[in-house]
Each structure stands twice: as C-alpha cells, then as structure tokens.
Amino acid sequence: MLTAPNAILFVFGEKWTGMAPLVAAVAPVMPLMAVQIVCSPATNATGDPRI
C-alpha cells in the first residue's frame, strides 16, 4: 500500500500514475481475499454438520 505509487511508476510508467490510489486502496484487501480462496472449502462447509 505504501509503495503503490513507486511500484506503478516503475512497472507501468508515468502514464499510469493516476492508478496508484486505486492500487493503494485495494492492497489491504488482497491478503484477506487470498485467505478466503485458500479456506473456501471450510467456509463453504460452515453450517453443515455432516462435513
């Protein structure tokens, strides 16, 4: 999140620097999304005592 402006500048160039606030806003959510994807079988089985 803190390095988004520099990372965007390095990877995409100056043309895409306007995208940095969007990337910075999405960055904290990505680790949570990764955990949800890894644990999706467990979260899908929640509430089903047979599993």
Side-chain angles (χ1 to χ4, degrees):
M1 185 168 133
L2 297 174
T3 61
N6 293 334
I8 296 297
L9 185 62
F10 178 74
V11 175
F12 296 110
E14 287 190 31
K15 180 180 176 182
W16 292 93
T17 54
M19 191 171 71
L22 178 64
V23 173
V26 172
V29 179
M30 287 293 111
L32 300 174
M33 194 65 186
V35 169
Q36 196 278 329
I37 290 169
V38 169
C39 298
S40 65
T43 58
N44 290 340
T46 302
D48 192 352
R50 295 177 295 139
I51 298 176

